[in-house]
Amino acid sequence: YPSFRNALSDGEPVTGGDTIAEGIAVKSPGQIPLSVARPRMTGDDVVVIGEDAIEEGVVALAMEEKLIAEGAGAAGVGALLARPNLFEGKRVGVLVCGGNIDERLLGQVLARHLVRRSHAGAGRRSPHRSPSPPQATARSAIERRRTAAAGWPAPCSAKGRP
């Protein structure tokens, strides 16, 4: 459903197919979002990712941030994880919205992630695994990637330590 990209590029609407990101799977975006975006960007600026990347966004938010988001709400995080080279050295903000995900679907997404992780190799550390011991860091995997990519200093905890 690359509808937003296609609309900015004067392309044809795309329809059909199942997706976990139903909230952004529209035939054509609204006129208000397009009127805001057109002076600022082109279709080439829109990052389109696949279902696996959207699912990884859902998983990262659930496992690292303890935040449940539906597929459309986690698509921005999925894009950051799938295409980090696009955001390297830039300050990036991601809106996370929408918790309207069926608990069975969430369970399936988490189960598929575990299968992918197990196929990735037993010796490889998953980016969605909490550090041990828990006191090792207060920052999440998402925040670590963000600060490293942007070249920002590590955020401090309430006690002033990273």
Side-chain angles (χ1 to χ4, degrees):
Y1 289 97
S3 301
F4 201 75
R5 180 189 62 194
N6 289 0
L8 289 173
S9 303
D10 296 323
E12 293 295 315
V14 178
T15 60
D18 292 330
T19 179
I20 187 174
E22 294 171 346
I24 56 175
V26 296
K27 182 176 179 179
S28 58
Q31 290 305 310
I32 294 173
L34 285 174
S35 69
V36 171
R38 276 203 170 106
R40 294 168 177 82
M41 60 191 304
T42 68
D44 293 336
D45 297 319
V46 178
V47 178
V48 177
I49 58 173
E51 291 294 304
D52 285 351
I54 295 170
E55 286 190 6
E56 286 303 310
V58 170
V59 169
L61 289 168
M63 301 298 289
E64 298 297 330
E65 298 298 327
K66 310 305 184 231
L67 179 68
I68 303 301
E70 62 187 69
V77 173
L80 283 172
L81 296 174
R83 310 275 303 276
N85 58 313
L86 295 177
F87 308 102
E88 190 171 339
K90 298 177 182 175
R91 289 187 177 208
V92 178
V94 179
L95 296 177
V96 177
C97 58
N100 188 24
I101 186 169
D102 179 80
E103 62 265 10
R104 291 172 298 223
L105 178 58
L106 178 60
Q108 291 169 355
V109 167
L110 294 171
R112 282 192 292 269
H113 167 74
L114 292 174
V115 169
R116 284 192 295 268
R117 189 174 92 182
S118 69
H119 289 293
R124 240 178 81 187
R125 183 181 168 111
S126 167
H128 305 305
R129 188 171 145 200
S130 296
S132 180
Q135 306 89 315
T137 182
R139 292 177 288 139
S140 69
I142 296 168
E143 193 170 352
R144 286 191 301 274
R145 287 186 190 115
R146 176 184 56 88
T147 56
W152 295 345
C156 294
S157 69
K159 295 182 181 178
R161 295 187 300 265

